[in-house]
Amino acid sequence: MRYVSTRGTAPVLQFDDVLLAGLARDGGLYVPESWPTFTADDIRALRTLTYAEVAYKVIQPFTTGSVDDAALKTILEETYAGFDHEAVAPLKQLGANDWVMELFHGPTLAFKDYALQVVGRLFDHVLAKRGERITIVGATSGDTGSAAIEACRDRENIDIFILHPKGRVSEVQRRQMTTILSDNVHNIAVEGSFDDCQDLVKALFNDHAFRDEVGLSAVNSINWARIMCQIAYYFWAGAQLGSPEREISFSVPSGNFGNVYAGYAAMRLPIKQFVVGANRNDILARFFESGVMKMEGVEPSISPSMDIQVSSNFERLMFDLYDRDGLAIAGMLTKFRETGIMEMSQGQFARAREHFDGYRLSDDETRAAIRDVLATSGELVDPHSVIGIVAGRKCNRDKSVPMVALATAHPAKFPDAVKQASGIYPDLPERLSDLYDRPEKVEPMSNDVGALMAHVRDRRRAA
Ligand SMILES: *Cc1c(COP(=O)(O)O)cnc(C)c1O
């Protein structure tokens, strides 16, 4: 499979190059040159398969030519065998045509594991084949760091350094990172804010000599490989609930638009509708009401993984809405970065609205909804997942079609907000129950680029 950039001028690449490149050289995002076909019979054939087998059927067309099929199969089997629910992505019914798909049974209790656990292994596989090594350096405000570390730990050809602001991440989040004692994992507690951490990382990437010397890389949220892995659970849900004979709708608590875009990429299913859930940082919900994308400052909420200003993956949807006109996209997005505002033409907006609705919940509404879902269904849900559930109910266009809300995090990942809303302190799953007793490995560091560079040089394993 070949990939093109949404901004039209970067070279066309094969999957393995796209995996390692992340962002395209023209600033765009990579998408497949053409979409693989899934016939009605192909979808029917998924019904009797395990989650890992479904993932293989969905992912294989995207990696052909770069990853051999047997290796991909092994990677997927190995990945999902490590999840702690037999169904991997179990579907739970809350009411008539009212469903939740639980995507929090991976190692760090959030849906990002479903892709990152595969992507870490794909990186290692592709690097080994090419005889290359990389050094991943990233900054985290708490949430993505642990998923990246779990994805890269113990990988032969990867060293990973994750910076977090010292004393400013929650204890669960810190421990999910610092209790990984693997030789290739390096946690750094920076004296400073999350912005300081991000600036340090940027400084390393901007030093091209250093970048080449250590093979600097990132596992960021715009990597196509992450989207590709997420497409699998939309097919999985469809197959469980009667596709292709029955339609299906999805409601997705959204931030960077990666997760819901993966659903759009699964459109070979008879998908009726997508609902895009937001918190007070509602740029996406406002867009789907008005056709206007307008940047505003980020405000902290009780669903922090959705606190974003600009949803970078939205560019991939735009690319389709504008009939893959990369230069038009490049022009619009450059202007958007300058002015903070972007208006879509009527025709394109109408196309977006064919399948998408947006809905926003305030923190108070989110807390009330956690109580309500607990009272009516006995399920304790986290502040992100509940936004999906409520948004799906509010925007449902056709009550005869199953609406599946994606539960993106385990309640124990956000225990304080859940306790405050419901009075119940959610327990960590058995596997993590001794998290508070485990030894930690973390390096304190001043906010200093020179010190960071020296540390990376010193600690990364030699080639
Ligand atoms: C990352 C994340 C989201 C947002 O997903 P996007 O793909 O960025 O839209 C929602 N909920 C949780 C718990 C997350 O970790």
Tab-separated table of all heavy atoms in Angstrom, residues 400-460:
chain	number	residue	atom	x	y	z
A	400	SER	N	-33.760	3.151	15.804
A	400	SER	CA	-33.808	1.734	15.452
A	400	SER	C	-32.417	1.194	15.103
A	400	SER	O	-32.261	0.017	14.796
A	400	SER	CB	-34.760	1.523	14.269
A	400	SER	OG	-34.168	2.023	13.087
A	401	VAL	N	-31.424	2.083	15.119
A	401	VAL	CA	-30.057	1.661	14.796
A	401	VAL	C	-29.231	1.621	16.085
A	401	VAL	O	-29.295	2.556	16.886
A	401	VAL	CB	-29.414	2.671	13.807
A	401	VAL	CG1	-27.942	2.356	13.572
A	401	VAL	CG2	-30.184	2.681	12.495
A	402	PRO	N	-28.473	0.542	16.314
A	402	PRO	CA	-27.651	0.510	17.534
A	402	PRO	C	-26.646	1.664	17.559
A	402	PRO	O	-25.958	1.903	16.569
A	402	PRO	CB	-26.906	-0.827	17.462
A	402	PRO	CG	-27.460	-1.579	16.319
A	402	PRO	CD	-28.329	-0.677	15.509
A	403	MET	N	-26.591	2.361	18.694
A	403	MET	CA	-25.617	3.435	18.903
A	403	MET	C	-24.552	2.886	19.847
A	403	MET	O	-24.863	2.474	20.976
A	403	MET	CB	-26.306	4.657	19.511
A	403	MET	CG	-25.381	5.785	19.949
A	403	MET	SD	-24.508	6.599	18.592
A	403	MET	CE	-25.808	7.638	17.894
A	404	VAL	N	-23.319	2.849	19.403
A	404	VAL	CA	-22.227	2.311	20.220
A	404	VAL	C	-21.347	3.465	20.692
A	404	VAL	O	-20.711	4.141	19.878
A	404	VAL	CB	-21.375	1.301	19.420
A	404	VAL	CG1	-20.241	0.747	20.286
A	404	VAL	CG2	-22.247	0.174	18.884
A	405	ALA	N	-21.313	3.699	21.999
A	405	ALA	CA	-20.432	4.734	22.553
A	405	ALA	C	-19.096	4.091	22.886
A	405	ALA	O	-19.053	2.995	23.472
A	405	ALA	CB	-21.054	5.342	23.795
A	406	LEU	N	-18.004	4.734	22.516
A	406	LEU	CA	-16.679	4.187	22.805
A	406	LEU	C	-16.231	4.622	24.206
A	406	LEU	O	-16.152	5.815	24.487
A	406	LEU	CB	-15.673	4.668	21.749
A	406	LEU	CG	-15.562	3.774	20.501
A	406	LEU	CD1	-16.913	3.449	19.904
A	406	LEU	CD2	-14.643	4.384	19.465
A	407	ALA	N	-15.991	3.629	25.076
A	407	ALA	CA	-15.485	3.921	26.423
A	407	ALA	C	-13.968	3.960	26.322
A	407	ALA	O	-13.308	2.930	26.144
A	407	ALA	CB	-15.948	2.861	27.408
A	408	THR	N	-13.386	5.161	26.419
A	408	THR	CA	-11.974	5.338	26.084
A	408	THR	C	-11.028	5.188	27.275
A	408	THR	O	-9.819	5.109	27.086
A	408	THR	CB	-11.750	6.711	25.421
A	408	THR	OG1	-12.357	7.723	26.238
A	408	THR	CG2	-12.362	6.753	24.039
A	409	ALA	N	-11.542	5.198	28.491
A	409	ALA	CA	-10.668	5.000	29.656
A	409	ALA	C	-11.401	4.254	30.762
A	409	ALA	O	-12.627	4.322	30.879
A	409	ALA	CB	-10.152	6.338	30.185
A	410	HIS	N	-10.632	3.539	31.572
A	410	HIS	CA	-11.151	2.845	32.752
A	410	HIS	C	-11.404	3.894	33.845
A	410	HIS	O	-10.603	4.832	33.989
A	410	HIS	CB	-10.085	1.841	33.212
A	410	HIS	CG	-10.553	0.881	34.261
A	410	HIS	ND1	-10.715	1.250	35.582
A	410	HIS	CD2	-10.890	-0.432	34.190
A	410	HIS	CE1	-11.132	0.197	36.271
A	410	HIS	NE2	-11.244	-0.834	35.453
A	411	PRO	N	-12.474	3.758	34.623
A	411	PRO	CA	-12.743	4.769	35.657
A	411	PRO	C	-11.583	4.951	36.644
A	411	PRO	O	-11.361	6.067	37.128
A	411	PRO	CB	-13.998	4.242	36.367
A	411	PRO	CG	-14.199	2.846	35.878
A	411	PRO	CD	-13.536	2.745	34.557
A	412	ALA	N	-10.816	3.881	36.892
A	412	ALA	CA	-9.712	3.988	37.857
A	412	ALA	C	-8.568	4.840	37.341
A	412	ALA	O	-7.649	5.180	38.079
A	412	ALA	CB	-9.200	2.599	38.231
A	413	LYS	N	-8.601	5.202	36.074
A	413	LYS	CA	-7.577	6.074	35.518
A	413	LYS	C	-7.821	7.527	35.946
A	413	LYS	O	-6.901	8.324	35.993
A	413	LYS	CB	-7.600	5.943	33.995
A	413	LYS	CG	-6.491	6.687	33.325
A	413	LYS	CD	-5.792	5.865	32.293
A	413	LYS	CE	-4.520	6.584	31.911
A	413	LYS	NZ	-3.618	5.806	31.143
A	414	PHE	N	-9.081	7.843	36.272
A	414	PHE	CA	-9.435	9.196	36.717
A	414	PHE	C	-10.237	9.114	38.022
A	414	PHE	O	-11.390	9.536	38.093
A	414	PHE	CB	-10.222	9.911	35.604
A	414	PHE	CG	-9.424	10.020	34.340
A	414	PHE	CD1	-9.550	9.074	33.333
A	414	PHE	CD2	-8.483	11.034	34.184
A	414	PHE	CE1	-8.770	9.147	32.183
A	414	PHE	CE2	-7.702	11.114	33.036
A	414	PHE	CZ	-7.853	10.173	32.043
A	415	PRO	N	-9.596	8.534	39.068
A	415	PRO	CA	-10.343	8.169	40.269
A	415	PRO	C	-10.945	9.364	41.015
A	415	PRO	O	-12.046	9.250	41.553
A	415	PRO	CB	-9.297	7.445	41.130
A	415	PRO	CG	-7.973	7.906	40.622
A	415	PRO	CD	-8.174	8.186	39.166
A	416	ASP	N	-10.245	10.495	41.024
A	416	ASP	CA	-10.748	11.616	41.812
A	416	ASP	C	-12.028	12.201	41.215
A	416	ASP	O	-12.988	12.464	41.932
A	416	ASP	CB	-9.664	12.690	41.964
A	416	ASP	CG	-8.433	12.124	42.684
A	416	ASP	OD1	-8.630	11.251	43.572
A	416	ASP	OD2	-7.304	12.519	42.354
A	417	ALA	N	-12.034	12.375	39.907
A	417	ALA	CA	-13.235	12.908	39.251
A	417	ALA	C	-14.407	11.940	39.395
A	417	ALA	O	-15.550	12.357	39.626
A	417	ALA	CB	-12.951	13.167	37.767
A	418	VAL	N	-14.117	10.643	39.295
A	418	VAL	CA	-15.192	9.647	39.408
A	418	VAL	C	-15.745	9.628	40.832
A	418	VAL	O	-16.961	9.595	41.051
A	418	VAL	CB	-14.679	8.246	38.997
A	418	VAL	CG1	-15.690	7.156	39.327
A	418	VAL	CG2	-14.350	8.229	37.502
A	419	LYS	N	-14.848	9.707	41.808
A	419	LYS	CA	-15.264	9.732	43.220
A	419	LYS	C	-16.111	10.978	43.498
A	419	LYS	O	-17.161	10.913	44.136
A	419	LYS	CB	-14.013	9.717	44.106
A	419	LYS	CG	-14.231	10.042	45.585
A	419	LYS	CD	-14.539	8.781	46.359
A	419	LYS	CE	-15.202	9.039	47.708
A	419	LYS	NZ	-14.347	9.545	48.746
A	420	GLN	N	-15.650	12.109	42.988
A	420	GLN	CA	-16.363	13.358	43.231
A	420	GLN	C	-17.776	13.311	42.639
A	420	GLN	O	-18.722	13.820	43.236
A	420	GLN	CB	-15.575	14.515	42.605
A	420	GLN	CG	-15.925	15.847	43.220
A	420	GLN	CD	-15.527	17.018	42.328
A	420	GLN	OE1	-15.127	16.842	41.176
A	420	GLN	NE2	-15.650	18.211	42.866
A	421	ALA	N	-17.897	12.670	41.472
A	421	ALA	CA	-19.204	12.609	40.819
A	421	ALA	C	-20.125	11.593	41.468
A	421	ALA	O	-21.320	11.835	41.631
A	421	ALA	CB	-19.026	12.279	39.338
A	422	SER	N	-19.574	10.441	41.841
A	422	SER	CA	-20.427	9.303	42.202
A	422	SER	C	-20.342	8.901	43.667
A	422	SER	O	-21.157	8.134	44.151
A	422	SER	CB	-20.015	8.086	41.359
A	422	SER	OG	-18.699	7.678	41.742
A	423	GLY	N	-19.326	9.391	44.389
A	423	GLY	CA	-19.117	8.939	45.760
A	423	GLY	C	-18.375	7.617	45.838
A	423	GLY	O	-18.052	7.140	46.923
A	424	ILE	N	-18.081	7.012	44.691
A	424	ILE	CA	-17.385	5.715	44.693
A	424	ILE	C	-15.958	5.897	44.179
A	424	ILE	O	-15.744	6.493	43.122
A	424	ILE	CB	-18.119	4.696	43.788
A	424	ILE	CG1	-19.527	4.457	44.330
A	424	ILE	CG2	-17.333	3.387	43.697
A	424	ILE	CD1	-20.379	3.597	43.425
A	425	TYR	N	-14.983	5.376	44.936
A	425	TYR	CA	-13.598	5.430	44.482
A	425	TYR	C	-13.322	4.159	43.686
A	425	TYR	O	-13.336	3.058	44.228
A	425	TYR	CB	-12.636	5.538	45.669
A	425	TYR	CG	-11.235	5.927	45.252
A	425	TYR	CD1	-10.879	7.266	45.132
A	425	TYR	CD2	-10.286	4.949	44.959
A	425	TYR	CE1	-9.605	7.629	44.723
A	425	TYR	CE2	-9.008	5.306	44.555
A	425	TYR	CZ	-8.666	6.652	44.437
A	425	TYR	OH	-7.407	7.005	44.029
A	426	PRO	N	-13.084	4.287	42.366
A	426	PRO	CA	-12.934	3.090	41.536
A	426	PRO	C	-11.610	2.371	41.799
A	426	PRO	O	-10.558	3.008	41.860
A	426	PRO	CB	-12.974	3.649	40.111
A	426	PRO	CG	-12.601	5.082	40.217
A	426	PRO	CD	-12.939	5.544	41.593
A	427	ASP	N	-11.671	1.071	41.978
A	427	ASP	CA	-10.462	0.283	42.224
A	427	ASP	C	-9.716	0.009	40.924
A	427	ASP	O	-10.336	-0.186	39.875
A	427	ASP	CB	-10.834	-1.073	42.852
A	427	ASP	CG	-11.223	-0.902	44.307
A	427	ASP	OD1	-10.690	0.029	44.950
A	427	ASP	OD2	-12.065	-1.680	44.776
A	428	LEU	N	-8.392	-0.051	41.026
A	428	LEU	CA	-7.591	-0.476	39.887
A	428	LEU	C	-7.843	-1.958	39.632
A	428	LEU	O	-8.129	-2.713	40.565
A	428	LEU	CB	-6.104	-0.274	40.190
A	428	LEU	CG	-5.594	1.167	40.129
A	428	LEU	CD1	-4.251	1.282	40.837
A	428	LEU	CD2	-5.480	1.639	38.681
A	429	PRO	N	-7.749	-2.413	38.374
A	429	PRO	CA	-7.875	-3.841	38.098
A	429	PRO	C	-6.782	-4.615	38.847
A	429	PRO	O	-5.713	-4.074	39.141
A	429	PRO	CB	-7.656	-3.943	36.596
A	429	PRO	CG	-7.737	-2.569	36.053
A	429	PRO	CD	-7.518	-1.622	37.170
A	430	GLU	N	-7.063	-5.863	39.129
A	430	GLU	CA	-6.186	-6.781	39.865
A	430	GLU	C	-4.707	-6.634	39.474
A	430	GLU	O	-3.828	-6.463	40.306
A	430	GLU	CB	-6.655	-8.216	39.564
A	430	GLU	CG	-6.009	-9.304	40.386
A	430	GLU	CD	-6.412	-9.209	41.855
A	430	GLU	OE1	-7.584	-8.870	42.131
A	430	GLU	OE2	-5.530	-9.461	42.693
A	431	ARG	N	-4.479	-6.662	38.160
A	431	ARG	CA	-3.124	-6.617	37.600
A	431	ARG	C	-2.323	-5.397	38.072
A	431	ARG	O	-1.100	-5.420	38.137
A	431	ARG	CB	-3.326	-6.620	36.087
A	431	ARG	CG	-2.235	-6.260	35.187
A	431	ARG	CD	-2.662	-6.582	33.747
A	431	ARG	NE	-3.790	-5.754	33.288
A	431	ARG	CZ	-3.678	-4.467	32.958
A	431	ARG	NH1	-2.529	-3.857	33.060
A	431	ARG	NH2	-4.733	-3.799	32.521
A	432	LEU	N	-3.028	-4.298	38.415
A	432	LEU	CA	-2.334	-3.079	38.821
A	432	LEU	C	-2.533	-2.764	40.298
A	432	LEU	O	-2.141	-1.697	40.773
A	432	LEU	CB	-2.859	-1.898	37.993
A	432	LEU	CG	-2.390	-1.815	36.542
A	432	LEU	CD1	-3.204	-0.797	35.765
A	432	LEU	CD2	-0.910	-1.469	36.475
A	433	SER	N	-3.115	-3.710	41.035
A	433	SER	CA	-3.539	-3.395	42.398
A	433	SER	C	-2.365	-3.063	43.324
A	433	SER	O	-2.540	-2.394	44.332
A	433	SER	CB	-4.383	-4.535	42.978
A	433	SER	OG	-3.629	-5.714	42.944
A	434	ASP	N	-1.156	-3.518	42.982
A	434	ASP	CA	0.006	-3.195	43.830
A	434	ASP	C	0.810	-2.021	43.270
A	434	ASP	O	1.966	-1.799	43.654
A	434	ASP	CB	0.912	-4.425	43.986
A	434	ASP	CG	1.550	-4.831	42.663
A	434	ASP	OD1	1.043	-4.397	41.602
A	434	ASP	OD2	2.546	-5.568	42.683
A	435	LEU	N	0.188	-1.234	42.384
A	435	LEU	CA	0.896	-0.120	41.736
A	435	LEU	C	1.544	0.810	42.753
A	435	LEU	O	2.657	1.298	42.558
A	435	LEU	CB	-0.074	0.664	40.838
A	435	LEU	CG	0.536	1.793	40.006
A	435	LEU	CD1	1.456	1.239	38.911
A	435	LEU	CD2	-0.556	2.656	39.351
A	436	TYR	N	0.852	1.016	43.878
A	436	TYR	CA	1.360	1.966	44.878
A	436	TYR	C	2.520	1.392	45.700
A	436	TYR	O	3.156	2.109	46.449
A	436	TYR	CB	0.218	2.452	45.779
A	436	TYR	CG	-0.721	3.379	45.036
A	436	TYR	CD1	-1.838	2.885	44.375
A	436	TYR	CD2	-0.469	4.745	44.966
A	436	TYR	CE1	-2.673	3.733	43.665
A	436	TYR	CE2	-1.288	5.599	44.257
A	436	TYR	CZ	-2.399	5.092	43.605
A	436	TYR	OH	-3.210	5.928	42.889
A	437	ASP	N	2.783	0.114	45.566
A	437	ASP	CA	3.886	-0.497	46.319
A	437	ASP	C	5.104	-0.762	45.441
A	437	ASP	O	6.150	-1.175	45.935
A	437	ASP	CB	3.432	-1.840	46.927
A	437	ASP	CG	2.187	-1.674	47.757
A	437	ASP	OD1	2.098	-0.650	48.463
A	437	ASP	OD2	1.287	-2.540	47.672
A	438	ARG	N	4.975	-0.547	44.152
A	438	ARG	CA	6.080	-0.913	43.260
A	438	ARG	C	7.193	0.127	43.307
A	438	ARG	O	6.937	1.318	43.465
A	438	ARG	CB	5.580	-1.018	41.813
A	438	ARG	CG	4.599	-2.159	41.607
A	438	ARG	CD	4.196	-2.263	40.155
A	438	ARG	NE	3.060	-3.177	40.019
A	438	ARG	CZ	2.361	-3.350	38.903
A	438	ARG	NH1	2.678	-2.663	37.824
A	438	ARG	NH2	1.354	-4.194	38.871
A	439	PRO	N	8.451	-0.321	43.132
A	439	PRO	CA	9.570	0.635	43.095
A	439	PRO	C	9.491	1.510	41.842
A	439	PRO	O	8.986	1.072	40.811
A	439	PRO	CB	10.810	-0.265	43.055
A	439	PRO	CG	10.331	-1.587	42.563
A	439	PRO	CD	8.894	-1.720	42.962
A	440	GLU	N	10.008	2.733	41.977
A	440	GLU	CA	9.986	3.667	40.853
A	440	GLU	C	11.396	3.963	40.367
A	440	GLU	O	12.348	3.923	41.148
A	440	GLU	CB	9.337	4.992	41.282
A	440	GLU	CG	7.873	4.872	41.648
A	440	GLU	CD	7.278	6.236	41.995
A	440	GLU	OE1	6.984	7.001	41.058
A	440	GLU	OE2	7.109	6.531	43.189
A	441	LYS	N	11.501	4.264	39.067
A	441	LYS	CA	12.786	4.684	38.500
A	441	LYS	C	12.548	5.988	37.753
A	441	LYS	O	11.818	6.016	36.756
A	441	LYS	CB	13.302	3.612	37.531
A	441	LYS	CG	14.696	3.916	36.982
A	441	LYS	CD	15.210	2.821	36.047
A	441	LYS	CE	14.761	3.026	34.609
A	441	LYS	NZ	15.470	2.208	33.612
A	442	VAL	N	13.121	7.066	38.259
A	442	VAL	CA	12.917	8.372	37.627
A	442	VAL	C	14.099	9.278	37.924
A	442	VAL	O	14.684	9.218	39.005
A	442	VAL	CB	11.576	9.006	38.087
A	442	VAL	CG1	11.499	9.130	39.588
A	442	VAL	CG2	11.332	10.374	37.434
A	443	GLU	N	14.470	10.086	36.925
A	443	GLU	CA	15.639	10.957	37.044
A	443	GLU	C	15.171	12.406	37.158
A	443	GLU	O	14.506	12.899	36.250
A	443	GLU	CB	16.471	10.788	35.762
A	443	GLU	CG	17.869	11.287	35.816
A	443	GLU	CD	18.814	10.273	36.443
A	443	GLU	OE1	18.555	9.048	36.329
A	443	GLU	OE2	19.792	10.715	37.055
A	444	PRO	N	15.499	13.098	38.238
A	444	PRO	CA	15.148	14.520	38.288
A	444	PRO	C	16.097	15.309	37.387
A	444	PRO	O	17.249	14.904	37.212
A	444	PRO	CB	15.359	14.899	39.756
A	444	PRO	CG	16.275	13.871	40.312
A	444	PRO	CD	16.224	12.651	39.441
A	445	MET	N	15.625	16.399	36.816
A	445	MET	CA	16.494	17.184	35.930
A	445	MET	C	16.062	18.642	35.929
A	445	MET	O	14.868	18.930	35.968
A	445	MET	CB	16.421	16.628	34.506
A	445	MET	CG	17.481	17.212	33.596
A	445	MET	SD	17.494	16.405	31.992
A	445	MET	CE	18.164	14.815	32.432
A	446	SER	N	17.072	19.548	35.853
A	446	SER	CA	16.722	20.961	35.742
A	446	SER	C	16.229	21.223	34.319
A	446	SER	O	16.425	20.404	33.428
A	446	SER	CB	17.934	21.823	36.059
A	446	SER	OG	18.985	21.463	35.194
A	447	ASN	N	15.605	22.368	34.128
A	447	ASN	CA	15.072	22.728	32.821
A	447	ASN	C	16.223	23.227	31.949
A	447	ASN	O	16.401	24.422	31.768
A	447	ASN	CB	13.997	23.810	33.027
A	447	ASN	CG	13.381	24.249	31.725
A	447	ASN	OD1	13.637	23.669	30.671
A	447	ASN	ND2	12.549	25.288	31.786
A	448	ASP	N	16.995	22.264	31.386
A	448	ASP	CA	18.235	22.628	30.719
A	448	ASP	C	18.514	21.680	29.546
A	448	ASP	O	18.678	20.473	29.725
A	448	ASP	CB	19.375	22.557	31.761
A	448	ASP	CG	20.731	22.808	31.132
A	448	ASP	OD1	20.887	23.832	30.471
A	448	ASP	OD2	21.622	21.946	31.296
A	449	VAL	N	18.548	22.242	28.340
A	449	VAL	CA	18.699	21.421	27.131
A	449	VAL	C	20.018	20.645	27.138
A	449	VAL	O	20.056	19.465	26.770
A	449	VAL	CB	18.652	22.291	25.852
A	449	VAL	CG1	18.738	21.421	24.621
A	449	VAL	CG2	17.396	23.115	25.820
A	450	GLY	N	21.095	21.315	27.561
A	450	GLY	CA	22.402	20.658	27.570
A	450	GLY	C	22.394	19.411	28.439
A	450	GLY	O	22.905	18.359	28.048
A	451	ALA	N	21.807	19.538	29.620
A	451	ALA	CA	21.741	18.395	30.541
A	451	ALA	C	20.926	17.261	29.929
A	451	ALA	O	21.293	16.085	30.033
A	451	ALA	CB	21.115	18.842	31.874
A	452	LEU	N	19.840	17.617	29.262
A	452	LEU	CA	18.985	16.593	28.647
A	452	LEU	C	19.742	15.862	27.531
A	452	LEU	O	19.715	14.626	27.456
A	452	LEU	CB	17.698	17.240	28.113
A	452	LEU	CG	16.739	16.294	27.389
A	452	LEU	CD1	16.262	15.169	28.306
A	452	LEU	CD2	15.552	17.062	26.825
A	453	MET	N	20.418	16.617	26.696
A	453	MET	CA	21.177	15.988	25.605
A	453	MET	C	22.236	15.031	26.149
A	453	MET	O	22.380	13.901	25.657
A	453	MET	CB	21.885	17.059	24.770
A	453	MET	CG	20.974	17.723	23.781
A	453	MET	SD	21.964	18.831	22.748
A	453	MET	CE	20.657	19.517	21.740
A	454	ALA	N	22.962	15.490	27.163
A	454	ALA	CA	24.009	14.657	27.752
A	454	ALA	C	23.392	13.372	28.311
A	454	ALA	O	23.934	12.268	28.142
A	454	ALA	CB	24.737	15.431	28.845
A	455	HIS	N	22.250	13.516	28.938
A	455	HIS	CA	21.567	12.371	29.543
A	455	HIS	C	21.147	11.348	28.473
A	455	HIS	O	21.350	10.145	28.632
A	455	HIS	CB	20.344	12.887	30.321
A	455	HIS	CG	19.638	11.827	31.095
A	455	HIS	ND1	20.137	11.316	32.278
A	455	HIS	CD2	18.469	11.178	30.859
A	455	HIS	CE1	19.291	10.401	32.723
A	455	HIS	NE2	18.282	10.296	31.886
A	456	VAL	N	20.576	11.851	27.383
A	456	VAL	CA	20.129	10.951	26.309
A	456	VAL	C	21.331	10.222	25.705
A	456	VAL	O	21.305	9.002	25.512
A	456	VAL	CB	19.345	11.732	25.228
A	456	VAL	CG1	19.062	10.845	24.007
A	456	VAL	CG2	18.039	12.284	25.802
A	457	ARG	N	22.400	10.966	25.426
A	457	ARG	CA	23.613	10.347	24.873
A	457	ARG	C	24.152	9.258	25.793
A	457	ARG	O	24.546	8.192	25.353
A	457	ARG	CB	24.720	11.399	24.741
A	457	ARG	CG	24.625	12.235	23.510
A	457	ARG	CD	25.977	12.891	23.204
A	457	ARG	NE	25.832	13.758	22.059
A	457	ARG	CZ	25.693	15.085	22.150
A	457	ARG	NH1	25.693	15.688	23.332
A	457	ARG	NH2	25.540	15.816	21.063
A	458	ASP	N	24.145	9.547	27.067
A	458	ASP	CA	24.722	8.658	28.060
A	458	ASP	C	23.903	7.392	28.265
A	458	ASP	O	24.440	6.307	28.428
A	458	ASP	CB	24.836	9.453	29.387
A	458	ASP	CG	25.470	8.608	30.465
A	458	ASP	OD1	26.514	7.985	30.153
A	458	ASP	OD2	24.933	8.564	31.581
A	459	ARG	N	22.575	7.539	28.284
A	459	ARG	CA	21.728	6.416	28.667
A	459	ARG	C	21.227	5.541	27.526
A	459	ARG	O	20.864	4.393	27.741
A	459	ARG	CB	20.506	6.925	29.457
A	459	ARG	CG	20.828	7.603	30.748
A	459	ARG	CD	21.559	6.651	31.688
A	459	ARG	NE	22.170	7.374	32.795
A	459	ARG	CZ	21.529	7.636	33.935
A	459	ARG	NH1	20.294	7.239	34.127
A	459	ARG	NH2	22.152	8.317	34.883
A	460	ARG	N	21.150	6.086	26.310
A	460	ARG	CA	20.620	5.248	25.237
A	460	ARG	C	21.617	4.131	24.952
A	460	ARG	O	22.822	4.327	25.114
A	460	ARG	CB	20.306	6.095	24.006
A	460	ARG	CG	21.469	6.321	23.115
A	460	ARG	CD	21.150	7.297	22.003
A	460	ARG	NE	22.353	7.482	21.219
A	460	ARG	CZ	22.587	6.852	20.066
A	460	ARG	NH1	21.702	6.051	19.559
A	460	ARG	NH2	23.728	7.032	19.432
